[in-house]
Amino acid sequence: MASEYGAATSLQVLRRLDTGPRGLTESEAAARLADAGENTPPRPHTASWPRRCARALRDPFTAVLLTLGLVSALVASWGTAVVILALVAVSCGLRAAGEHRADRSLAALRELVAGTATVLRRGQEDAEPQAREVPVAELVPGDVVRLGPGDLVPADVRLLRARGLTVHQAVLTGESAPVAKAAVDVPEVSEVPEPADRGPFDEPYLCFQGSGVASGSATAVVVATGERTRFAAVQGESGGRREASAFDRSVHGISWVLIRFMLLTPPLVLMSNAALRGRGLETLPFAVAVAVGLTPEMLPVIVTTCLAQGAALLARAHRVVVRRLPALHDLGAADVLCLDKTGTLTQDRPVVERALGPDGEDDPEVLCWAAVGAWWTLQLAELPAPDALDEALLTAAGPVGEEHDGIGAVPFDPERRTATAVVTGAALGTHVLVTKGAAEDVLDRCDLDPAERERLLALAAREADAGLRVLAVATAERPARTRPYTAADEHGLTFRGLLTFRDALAPGAAEALRGLTDLGITVRILTGDHPATAARACRDLGWGTVGVETAADVLRRGVEEAAGGAGADAGAGRADAEWASGGRADAGRAGSASGPEGSVPEGVGPVHVPTVVARCTPGDKARIVAGLRAAGHTVGFLGDGVNDIPALRAADVGIAPRTAVDLARETADVVLAEKDLGAIGHAVTAGRRSSANIATYLRVTLSSNLGNILAMLSAGLLLPFLPMLPAQVLAQNLCFDAAQLAFAHDRPGPAALRRPTVLRPRAFLRFITGFGVLNAIADLATFGVLALALRGPDALNDEAVFHSAWFTENLLTQALVMFLLRGGTRPGPIGRAATALAAVGLLLPPSPLGAALGMTGLPPAYHLLLAAVLGLYALALRALRARHGRRRR
């Protein structure tokens, strides 16, 4: 709606809104308020706590736990059932709390537009308008409002009158510098095409809700309120439920694999035993115990402990707060980090780069004159503080201005884009005008022939194309006078030269970027700045030549590829190949996204993102992050403003500094004490350490459990009795699970920290299948060796001997799996836990507890044969693990 009113003159806008410069009457405003609704963001739809908890039960991993708890209760394993059902309750509670926090952050949007606005209202149609303060929520289209320094723009407005108006639009565009606005009338949009690089927030005659007035004053008419404002549209992209993160997707995939196995195992056991052995429902407890044995009961405990320990270490050592524990895994899995330039790579503070004379050579006198102008303008124009460029001039030049006396000042005006200070001249009875401002405007006020003016403009354009901000300086000597100086005196100037500015780099940014690159993380800059400015900052950081495109180009390409049927897998492969080559460097390209608001149609597919994406709106950032995720990447996003909230929610893990606005900090998953990229590197390492331990636990327990189940199914068909009693199966699982708690305290080797750690269900399925089959072969080989070597009363037709032998062999093989599949050099807690597990396997059968479980002591010959089989199993395990490692590389 705002663009519709922007492409018209102010008179046309007033007619369309059925209002006038005197504003609305009270009755008209009340009628429009009833029709249009309050001028506030939409209220989030919140669910009750019971509904949130019920929704959490649909999560597949929670369903696995719930099924496991019910199964345990069915076989009268009440202790296991209570523990597992307690874990289900905790999981549901945490998920419901996360949804509540998200709803609370959305509700906080309403507070951003709270307060009052100065509006012209009339009691009657023929009454004079009165300026009065009304709540922002009561503004309606057609209201005429007044804006002054420090005001928040209360709605989307079309300027009717403006004087020296500049506004901060960082909340919408991310650009830190104030933007000049003017009440210019424009012809119909069909008559004059807009510049190719103009963004959806660049119209000089429109101001948008959420912006802040930096300087000047204006009178404007409200054209859009509530859900129809661009502010609401931008924030609407962060609404709704957050997509599943990398951790959620991984756990869901593994959970569905387990569910399939659990549903398949009991029927197989029952049918095979009924068909081949004539055993029916009496095998049900054994079938249930086998299904229970397949599931990693300790997974929630291991996951929570690993992530909680990593989060506690980050908080203590690096002052990084992890607000959502799974986000620590997502950080470890992240292979792309998106961030803004301003305030992260740079300090949002310009510094003087060079002072150039008219010949393009260094000339320090240009800096001196510019600093004199900045000093006396600050003193005489009664400005509250110097702007960023003047502050940079005074810092670079040092003490200046004392050799002159200040006479007067004409402060900066965004419409004429110049500022002038008047000081005493070197000759008695003379004044010197020192004018600085935009190169084109200053040159227009100088005495120059057209050719020289074009040459100097080209010089300024060359510096601007290099990503530098350019300021021109000119002077003029005038006879002394007492009459005040005005902007009309800025003529007949002598051009002195150009000053160039670059953004000051954030301390440690270059080193932190190198550290992230060493960790295998690709950094992408999403900024609202001009492409050349962003590229210059990257070069100053030592990146060399970088690929730069506008957000419109990147997203348009994603739309085209999605329309052409490019799949996520193909997009991921193409993106990887293009990133390896450094991306495209067509910085000169520009364009606008389709649609009047600069929006991108639905269906943006996997996108290739160059090193720098410039001219990004908040919606663009969120779409680019979503495109990266569609391309198969795990994405982190660092932001600190309201404009970053859509991207924070779109990323797998949102990161914000402690100094971020409250709403951004509430939305983020990870909060940094300082806006320090180095702290992100520490958080990534902690996440990978936790994820590596979780992944190792899953590989060990799933492959070992699968091998045991395959062996049990085979033995159940070959033996005249159950291969293991249900109580023995559960006791074995309890011993194995207790030993595996050591994975939560392990320190993985350096190799596990060099690249992102992702829990991929298909890769896990291949791994556990290969190693599970090997484990089953070791079990069956043990039976075969014992059957051939032993005779007499202690042979395998003795159920107690068989059960004891298998129980001992299972725990010994599981101890070997823990130790050999872990990797690394130092055994640490895993080695100690594996040793304890092996000791339990050897000592429990002959103990009184073993007798209660139906087991008995084994003769020494059994142990010698077990040692031989386990030795061969260890060699095979090491060989298969080495082969698997080579395939991964």
Side-chain angles (χ1 to χ4, degrees), residues 689-708:
R689 183 176 292 114
S690 300
S691 298
N693 287 339
I694 295 170
T696 303
Y697 161 75
L698 284 171
R699 284 195 293 267
V700 168
T701 189
L702 292 180
S703 59
S704 181
N705 289 353
L706 179 62
N708 289 340

Side-chain angles (χ1 to χ4, degrees), residues 568-594:
D569 292 337
R574 178 171 56 256
D576 288 339
E578 288 177 335
W579 285 0
S581 64
R584 297 168 59 183
D586 44 350
R589 295 181 61 193
S592 58
S594 59

Side-chain angles (χ1 to χ4, degrees), residues 478-499:
R478 299 280 196 267
R481 75 184 197 196
T482 57
R483 180 166 49 89
Y485 287 88
T486 65
D489 294 303
E490 297 175 341
H491 63 84
L493 307 178
T494 300
F495 183 73
R496 291 287 183 174
L498 301 173
L499 288 158

Side-chain angles (χ1 to χ4, degrees), residues 333-360:
D335 58 346
V336 177
L337 175 64
C338 298
L339 46 85
D340 195 359
K341 172 187 72 68
T342 305
T344 305
L345 303 179
T346 62
Q347 298 184 52
D348 195 14
R349 178 175 61 84
V351 295
V352 175
E353 175 75 2
R354 295 180 67 189
L356 305 175
D359 57 357

Side-chain angles (χ1 to χ4, degrees), residues 53 56-70 80-96 297 300:
C53 293
L57 291 175
R58 295 182 297 185
D59 174 72
F61 179 65
T62 307
V64 169
L65 289 178
L66 182 60
T67 303
L68 182 59
L70 296 176
T80 303
V82 169
V83 171
I84 292 175
L85 292 176
L87 291 173
V88 170
V90 171
S91 175
C92 292
L94 291 176
R95 186 172 294 271
E297 300 96 326

Side-chain angles (χ1 to χ4, degrees), residues 540-616:
D540 291 342
L541 287 165
W543 280 10
T545 303
V546 296
V548 182
E549 289 188 71
T550 63
D553 284 336
V554 171
L555 292 169
R556 183 184 297 110
R557 185 170 60 249
V559 172
E560 293 170 352
E561 291 180 358
D569 292 337
R574 178 171 56 256
D576 288 339
E578 288 177 335
W579 285 0
S581 64
R584 297 168 59 183
D586 44 350
R589 295 181 61 193
S592 58
S594 59
E597 299 289 336
S599 60
V600 176
E602 295 295 329
V604 175
V607 294
H608 154 58
V609 179
T611 301
V612 177
V613 183
R615 298 294 191 189
C616 278

Side-chain angles (χ1 to χ4, degrees), residues 197 457-470 500-501 530-537 539 548 587-588:
D197 62 347
L457 284 175
L459 175 62
R462 185 188 69 193
E463 298 298 323
D465 290 341
L468 298 171
R469 298 172 69 175
V470 180
T500 61
F501 301 81
H530 188 278
T533 303
R536 175 69 189 219
R539 288 196 297 271
V548 182

